[in-house]
Amino acid sequence: MDLTKHYVNGEWVTPISTTEFHVLNPATEAQIGTIILGNEDDVDRAVAAANAAFVHFSKTSKSDRLDLLHALMSATKARFDDLAEAMSTEMGAPMTMSRDAQADAAIGHLQGFIDALSAQDTRETLANGDVMMREPIGVCGLITPWNWPMNQVTLKVIPALATGCACVLKPSEHTPISGAIYAEIVDAAGYPAGVFNLVQGEGPTVGAAMSRHKDIQMMSFTGSTRAGIAVTKDAAETVKRVTLELGGKSPNLVFADCDLEDKVKASVLECMYNTGQSCDAPTRLLVERSCYDEVLAIAKAAAEGQSVGDPSQDGDHIGPLFDQIQFDRVQGMIQKGIDEGAKLLTGGTGRPDGFDKGWFVKPTIFADVSNDMDIARQEIFGPVLVIIPFEDEDDAIAIANDTPYGLAAYLQTGDADRAERVASQLRAGAVHINGGGFNYGSPFGGYKQSGNGREGGLHGLEDYQEVKTLHFG
């Protein structure tokens, strides 16, 4: 695969920019490819292609677009192993996890959108006799992160294609291989030239040019809250729609009436999953005081049982962080936790034993944390868990909500009434109760500084549609 090309107007084209960027394997630190970082002219060319394609593609029937989505499903399944291997290599997901979760998202989200589009009425008569119609919003700019490459690409590209929009995708410059493979998948599915375009590049250049572009009607961004604010500001002058899926510092409330051995162990492993590089990871474990010491012992054993290993191999181990900058940041946050006076229960700074290269981190747990510490308030984005005691239900809810974020929350309790009562008071877009996982087709998104809009299923389609009302005389 020639990673130096961009996919524009149905063809792999030589970028206008000549700025190179080396792609590294995070486990070995070896170079695995080179991309060309696009510039504003590359964005203009891609947007022009999308704008021209939208004129015709926006008029296609729902039936035609469903046929294309089914073709996309076949093309995705044919490249499933390629996607899994690419993501394992470029961002360090162990092969088992890369197949079962990272690549599986490309299939699962697609089916969720097929089901949603099949069920959606794009024309309905209101009680007052007016007719409400849903139409594609236009050309969409899509910016995706490195930590869940296919999950985020498909949550943005598929609803754009499903609703009749045209789009320009900028995947993370750190995970360009899976993005390029997905461009080949869209091409193989038979989408008209210009409907989908891919420009490699960095956020401050390509992302900003997309956000400011007068011919882009909607921006969908997933990444840090800081970068999401920049996208919003850049988009403001053209008053385009902006949807954001941003950071999190998700609380996980553990009450003494749950199965502590099972739920605490699962909670620790959930925090460490994907090497802690998930925006909705349960990174604050809030524990009822009456079972606090027992939970600490279970959590310590679970973290010390979490193996770290080669991402090219199958297994339930975790891999490295995605790059040197993140490795240094996580090391700095672990040291900050020590300096703040939190109790280091296990883990700590430095690489795990047996690793002298690669951006591997020790699974780390801090106990006796107060919610005003930096390690409890900042998104660390590594395999680092903080444990905070609480006195009663009201105290747990107050600590859980005392955060600028609101993407997800987790709750472990053996009392069904408490589960409903507490979940209703948690300010988060999703609440996972007793290990309940996310299902494809459900809306995903957050409160407060975790973003706005929802991705997935019916709500994910609606973000890419405008509402028009017909008033008949």
Side-chain angles (χ1 to χ4, degrees), residues 26 84 87-89 91-98 102 274 311-313 319-320:
M87 288 181 283
S88 179
T89 302
M91 57 78 60
M95 279 304 303
T96 298
M97 184 260 189
S98 195
Q102 296 277 7
N274 203 33
S312 69
Q313 302 299 311

Side-chain angles (χ1 to χ4, degrees), residues 179-315:
I181 291 173
Y182 200 73
E184 293 183 339
I185 290 171
V186 174
D187 186 89
Y191 279 88
V195 168
F196 170 86
N197 305 273
L198 178 142
V199 176
Q200 305 281 12
E202 295 178 307
T205 305
V206 171
M210 291 165 60
S211 300
R212 293 192 300 262
H213 208 288
K214 64 180 179 58
D215 290 329
I216 288 182
Q217 285 76 49
M218 182 255 198
M219 288 296 301
S220 179
F221 170 84
T222 297
S224 70
T225 297
R226 173 194 53 78
I229 292 169
V231 169
T232 304
K233 289 180 176 179
D234 283 335
E237 286 192 15
T238 50
V239 199
K240 56 172 59 72
R241 182 178 300 172
V242 177
T243 63
L244 305 170
E245 196 268 281
L246 307 176
K249 193 71 178 178
S250 299
N252 187 355
L253 286 61
V254 176
F255 289 92
D257 60 9
C258 76
D259 182 338
L260 290 176
E261 184 71 34
D262 177 62
K263 299 307 181 187
V264 172
K265 180 180 179 180
S267 294
V268 172
L269 297 181
E270 179 72 17
C271 173
M272 305 298 169
Y273 194 64
N274 203 33
T275 318
Q277 299 171 122
S278 298
C279 48
D280 61 344
T283 52
R284 288 188 297 148
L285 195 70
L286 280 50
V287 179
E288 191 167 8
R289 181 76 69 178
S290 63
C291 63
Y292 186 71
D293 290 340
E294 184 179 356
V295 167
L296 292 189
I298 297 169
K300 184 176 187 291
E304 292 176 350
Q306 173 62 75
S307 60
V308 180
D310 183 350
S312 69
Q313 302 299 311
D314 285 321

Side-chain angles (χ1 to χ4, degrees), residues 110-124:
L110 176 53
Q111 187 60 57
F113 283 120
I114 288 173
D115 295 342
L117 183 62
S118 299
Q120 187 187 48
D121 290 326
T122 55
R123 181 186 176 103
E124 60 181 285

Side-chain angles (χ1 to χ4, degrees), residues 65 120-124 132-137 163 458 461-469:
R65 283 180 272 115
Q120 187 187 48
D121 290 326
T122 55
R123 181 186 176 103
E124 60 181 285
M132 187 187 76
M133 302 174 63
R134 295 191 180 276
E135 299 179 342
I137 193 169
T163 55
L458 179 62
L461 292 179
E462 291 176 346
D463 275 347
Y464 292 78
Q465 294 172 317
E466 287 283 19
V467 171
K468 176 183 288 181
T469 308

Side-chain angles (χ1 to χ4, degrees), residues 20 260 326 369 384 397 401 429 465:
E20 292 187 350
L260 290 176
Q326 184 64 11
V369 175
V384 181
I397 293 167
N401 289 336
Q465 294 172 317

